[in-house]
């Protein structure tokens, strides 16, 4: 890792936050088509896989206590390899106080940036770029934190910044804001008083201590003043009448101060006033200062994604939750954001982007489901680590890295067991994404690359015979066979343990075997008749957008025959595959090769490609799930241009864990085979139950 | 006859008991709802004469405000007692009167604020002096015990009380002291008391005052303020906690907000931080301390003023903010800590009051409550802060009888119920 370009820090009275931009070198798997030039050799692999170094941009945010300022400056100095940097952007009171120290130590000019301007810039940035950034805090509730979907329009809001002191700012637009008040009683007061009153001197330990204390021993409550009679007055007896009001009486308790100060930044939305907090409250100033410094490169033009592997999560306010982690986070807390190659936008076909929630089950809320899925991911972990190591047989440290990956993801899972809200709403998607991030962190960019390569090769060999048998069927029979093929293809999912076990032990398990596993109609969710009716009676669709799932049989023998049928009907097809690898999901670059090979065999596909009636695009995602509010801008443009009127979402990750309830402006098909008995049970079915959900938006 | 009006529920109840009239329910807010001639048809002219003589024994006139920390007691001492009355005055009553008026301290904690005594007051046709007494709330059980020992209940009087303690101790009064408390609304009493005392003045002087040049020790002056036309005003009552009321007329007021950081917080924190044990001690320490060693000022962070938002370098950025550092913790004195506590609480109240005044569009802010007793530091700071942050738009006003208005209001409710 080498830090380049711009470093900025925000020093409030007590904590130093450092934001820096670095380029991260990491390995990516690339696929390249061989030049077969006619001589198709039986045992030759379909395409070449290579692992290459790629450089991507990453934003890092680190939080220190001020006492570590020297360490912090050393850190900056050590990582500041780009000597072109002459200026460091700093904000917060400390920017003034430590100006000389910084200039001397780093030999850089300190450019002081206004605190509030930076804070607001930073706040706008996280509100735009981090899903589940905003949450409401619920006292005395099972779910301590309730995360909010990102609102497309973030203004106006009231920003209450609680640092050492408190500032209150009304933010109306990106550039228009007004300071409307403040208080000197803030985090510094809590820390200062806490240090005076207790033996604890560190901020984080004070918070922890406070969480164990009973403020009612110290504070005078309404019920202390009114006795038992407060109910008749319509008052809550637990309201504090006089803070520390009880400390004057003879028996002074133990002198633990109340921890009623919430060290979070909260904002109030328009309309209903609601206290909202941000997960990355502490970083806003530093992010803002950074953004100011990076204006010529304008980070606002990019989309950013939180890297779960490199970020420490949100901490609970409850006592005794992983004291070790708490202590560590007090002095060293971090957030990493990867710059995505292309900007992400909403799918234009979303019915209401402001209420769209990708995930079907909120595991933060649903304790039973959470328990199941965490256990499920724990149990699968050894296998994933093994596969990761096996995917790089030539690497000498693959085993070690796989073990590190295993440890890291295991720890994340344990953190999530204790603090489900650590990274926003906990969902199956976030669990899957975190696993992918952790794999990448230890240079396992694509553990399934070889599996995918092999399966794609095998499936391609069957393509023509599958097409022949489909073509021999009558129209109605064929429609059903196509759907069944699509579903059977979807059985081949290495992400599902029930399936990967079968695939590991029965290498000959094929398309026909998969078909035989499928549930008979009526399916668990079955609107096939309506779909058939639509095909029979209605005009051909103008353009269909298909989100593909797995490599191999799924894409080649399931999706492509279906695509071919749509094309024959005169429907254009946009086939969207992931930009980066996730499990055995087909990637955009793999889809290019596969399509090229199919086109060589099939004139329908070939002419559709040539006439641009079949278009291959990338989703912008590297997740086994699908967030329709964060899709590649190119895809969105194409969807609009081609007047897409049918969306097909395939697979458990994309159509069940996410988007099961997604409402679209056009017709949609959600298809999946449930390859997990617990989930099947929950939905009222058995393993290999079929979901076939055809929806038409109400006019 | 004004004497008759002053009667109160207890004499009627006695009279009606004697006459066989039904007892009246004690309502929560006032016990005297049905005391008119019409409602007492049984009373004849001769009975009324009887009532006049009864009335004398209706004393003592008390108003009680039982707060979270302090009990405030006002006592009206009649100075126009005729020889005849004196003769008929029961022993108990006489001894209570003597006990209260001949002492300035009661037990180890009760104190009569002699300097606040209102002389030659005419209340309900009677002339007398109004006495102001306070003692800690935690001595309330002893007070009730004393009332019981002195057979206070034999006086057949009703005690009018306000404050949270009126609820908390109601049961004790009944069981231990055989006394019926008449509970009154805190804020009603407060406003009633303020308006009344301001209207009668302070022994010929003005009750209300303000500070001119509040930060300049040399030029700072306490000057009388004429509150003749008081509305609208923002009333900030600083007791253990703080209540802020917007008062638009005698009957029309609302509680705007409050904060739990009040006098109790100052005293409680001081006890914890300095080991002091009385409010006076805490204030004395504060007067010798330097809060800027404890608080982090704007200039400590920015090196000077924070110009963009017009914050002066001397403003406190983070109360107790310097105490995050070990060295600074070791270099401050208890006096510094006491002063910082006082400044923190006062500034916070001032700032909330300013925002309320702004929201309510009221420019006169009256500060009352026992937090301000012998607390010139806070009063001057409030005066200065309000003036500075409002750019001269807001005026901080103070009243001589600081914390006693609730008790006065309770007494007035007793007398004013007609």
């Amino acid at each position: 890792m080498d830090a380049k370009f711009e470093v900025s820090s925000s020093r409030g009275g007590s904590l130093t936050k450092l934001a820096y931009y670095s380029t991260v070198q990491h390995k990516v798997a690339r696929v390249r088509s061989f030049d077969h030039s006619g001589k198709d050799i039986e045992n030759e692999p379909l395409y070449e896989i290579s692992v290459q170094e790629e450089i991507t941009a990453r934003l890092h945010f680190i939080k220190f206590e001020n006492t570590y300022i020297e360490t912090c400056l050393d850190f900056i100095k050590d990582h500041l390899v780009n000597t072109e940097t002459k200026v460091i952007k700093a904000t917060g009171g400390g920017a003034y106080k430590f100006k000389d120290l910084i200039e001397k130590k780093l030999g850089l000019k300190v450019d002081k940036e206004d605190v509030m301007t930076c804070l607001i810039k930073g706040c706008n940035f996280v509100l735009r770029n981090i899903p589940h950034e905003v949450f409401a805090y619920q006292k005395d509730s099972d779910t301590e934190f309730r995360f909010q979907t990102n609102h497309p329009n973030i203004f106006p809001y009231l920003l209450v910044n609680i640092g050492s002191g408190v500032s209150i700012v009304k933010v109306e637009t990106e550039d228009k804001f007004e300071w409307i008040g403040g208080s000197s009683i803030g985090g510094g007061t809590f820390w200062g008083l806490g240090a005076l009153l207790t033996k604890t001197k560190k901020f984080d330990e004070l918070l922890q201590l406070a969480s164990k204390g009973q403020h009612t021993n110290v504070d005078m409550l309404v019920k202390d003043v009114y006795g038992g009679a407060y109910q008749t007055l319509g008052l809550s007896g637990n309201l504090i009448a006089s803070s520390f009001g009880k400390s004057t009486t003879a028996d002074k308790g133990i002198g633990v101060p109340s921890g009623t100060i919430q060290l979070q930044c909260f904002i109030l939305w328009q309309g209903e006033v609601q206290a909202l907090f941000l997960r990355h409250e502490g970083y806003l100033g530093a992010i803002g200062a950074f953004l100011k410094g990076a204006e010529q490169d304008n980070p606002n033009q990019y989309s950013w994604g939180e890297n779960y592997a490199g970020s420490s999560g949100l901490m609970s306010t409850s006592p005794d939750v992983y004291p070790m982690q708490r202590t560590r986070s007090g002095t060293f807390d971090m957030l990493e954001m990867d710059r995505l190659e292309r900007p992400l936008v909403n799918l234009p076909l979303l019915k209401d982007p402001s209420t769209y929630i990708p995930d079907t089950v909120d595991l933060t809320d649903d304790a039973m489901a959470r328990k199941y899925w965490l256990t499920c991911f724990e149990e699968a972990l050894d296998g994933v680590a093994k596969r990761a190591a096996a995917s790089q047989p030539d690497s000498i440290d693959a085993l070690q890295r796989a073990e590190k990956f295993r440890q890291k993801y295991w720890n994340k899972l344990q953190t999530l067991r204790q603090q489900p809200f650590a990274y926003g709403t906990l969902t199956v998607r976030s669990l899957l994404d975190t696993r992918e991030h952790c794999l990448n962190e230890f240079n396992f960019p694509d553990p399934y690359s070889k599996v995918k390569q092999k399966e794609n090769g095998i499936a391609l060999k069957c393509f023509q015979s599958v097409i022949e048998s489909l073509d021999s069927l009558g129209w109605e029979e064929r429609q059903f066979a196509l759907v069944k093929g699509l579903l059977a293809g979807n059985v081949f999912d290495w992400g599902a343990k029930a399936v990967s076990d079968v695939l590991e032990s029965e290498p000959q398990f094929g398309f026909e075997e998969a078909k035989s596993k499928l549930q008979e109609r009526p399916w668990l969710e079955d609107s096939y008749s309506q779909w058939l009716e639509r095909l029979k009676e209605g005009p051909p669709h103008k353009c269909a957008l298909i989100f593909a799932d797995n490599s191999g049989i799924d894409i080649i023998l399931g999706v492509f025959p279906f695509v071919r049928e749509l094309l024959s009907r005169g429907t254009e097809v946009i086939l969207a595959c992931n930009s980066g690898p996730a499990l055995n999901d087909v990637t955009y670059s793999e889809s290019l090769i596969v399509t090229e090979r199919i086109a060589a065999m099939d004139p329908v596909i070939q002419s559709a490609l040539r006439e641009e009636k079949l278009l291959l695009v990338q989703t912008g995602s590297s997740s086994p799930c699908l967030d329709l509010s964060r899709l590649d801008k190119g895809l969105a443009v194409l969807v609009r241009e081609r007047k897409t009127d049918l969306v097909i979402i395939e697979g458990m990750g994309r159509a069940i864990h996410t988007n099961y309830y997604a409402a679209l402006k056009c017709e949609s098909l959600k298809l999946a085979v449930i390859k997990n008995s617990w989930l099947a049970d929950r939905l009222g079915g058995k393993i290999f139950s079929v979901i076939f959900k055809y929806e038409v938006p109400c006019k | 006859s004004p004497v008759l009006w002053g009667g109160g529920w207890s004499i009627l109840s006695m009279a009606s008991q004697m006459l066989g009239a039904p007892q009246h329910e004690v309502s929560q807010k006032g016990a005297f709802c049905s005391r008119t001639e019409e409602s007492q048809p049984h009373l004849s002219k001769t009975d009324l004469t009887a009532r006049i003589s009864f009335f004398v024994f209706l004393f003592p006139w008390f108003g009680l405000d039982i707060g979270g920390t302090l009990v405030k007691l006002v006592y009206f001492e009649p100075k126009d007692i005729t020889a005849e009355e004196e003769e008929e005055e029961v022993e108990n009553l006489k001894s209570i009167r003597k006990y209260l008026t001949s002492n300035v301290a009661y037990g180890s904690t009760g104190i009569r604020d002699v300097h606040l005594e209102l002389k030659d007051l005419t209340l309900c046709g009677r002339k007398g002096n109004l006495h102001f007494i306070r003692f800690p709330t935690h001595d309330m059980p002893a007070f009730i015990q004393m009332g019981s020992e002195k057979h206070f209940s034999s006086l057949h009087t009703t005690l009018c009380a306000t404050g949270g303690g009126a609820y908390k101790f109601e049961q004790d009064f009944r069981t231990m002291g055989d006394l019926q408390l008449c509970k009154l609304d805190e804020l009603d009493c407060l406003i009633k008391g303020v308006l009344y005392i301001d209207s009668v003045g302070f022994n010929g002087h003005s009750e209300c005052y303000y500070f001119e040049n509040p930060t300049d020790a040399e030029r700072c002056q306490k000057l009388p303020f004429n509150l003749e036309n008081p509305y609208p005003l923002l009333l900030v009552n600083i007791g253990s906690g703080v209540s802020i009321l917007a008062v638009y007329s005698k009957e029309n007021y609302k509680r705007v907000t409050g904060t739990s950081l009040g006098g109790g917080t100052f005293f409680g924190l001081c006890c914890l931080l300095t080991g002091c044990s009385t409010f006076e001690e805490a204030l004395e320490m504060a007067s010798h301390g330097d809060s800027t060693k404890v608080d982090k000022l704007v200039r400590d962070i920015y090196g000077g003023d924070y110009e963009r938002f017009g914050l002066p370098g001397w403003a406190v950025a983070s109360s107790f903010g310097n105490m995050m550092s070990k060295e600074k913790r070791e270099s401050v004195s208890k006096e510094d800590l006491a002063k910082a506590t006082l400044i923190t609480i006062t500034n916070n109240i001032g700032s909330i009051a300013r925002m309320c005044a702004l929201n309510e569009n009221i420019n006169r802010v009256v500060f009352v409550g026992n937090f301000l007793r012998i607390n010139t530091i806070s009063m001057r700071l409030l005066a200065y802060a309000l003036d500075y942050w409002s750019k001269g738009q807001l005026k901080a006003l103070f009243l001589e009888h600081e914390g006693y208005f609730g008790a006065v209001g309770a007494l007035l409710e007793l007398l004013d119920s007609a």
Side-chain angles (χ1 to χ4, degrees), chain A residues 605-617:
Chain A
I605 300 293
Q606 192 170 43
S607 67
L609 272 179
R610 200 177 49 235
E611 291 160 27
E612 292 188 350
K613 289 191 167 156
L614 170 61
L615 299 145
L616 300 171
V617 293

Side-chain angles (χ1 to χ4, degrees), chain A residues 381 385 397-411 438-439 441-442 444:
Chain A
L381 182 53
D397 65 345
L399 271 173
Q400 276 169 297
R401 283 186 286 117
E403 174 54 22
K404 279 187 190 157
F405 151 74
R406 201 191 61 79
Q407 269 303 335
K408 178 142 195 172
Y409 189 58
W410 178 263
N411 289 341
C438 289
L439 279 167
E441 199 64 18
F442 294 101
F444 293 110

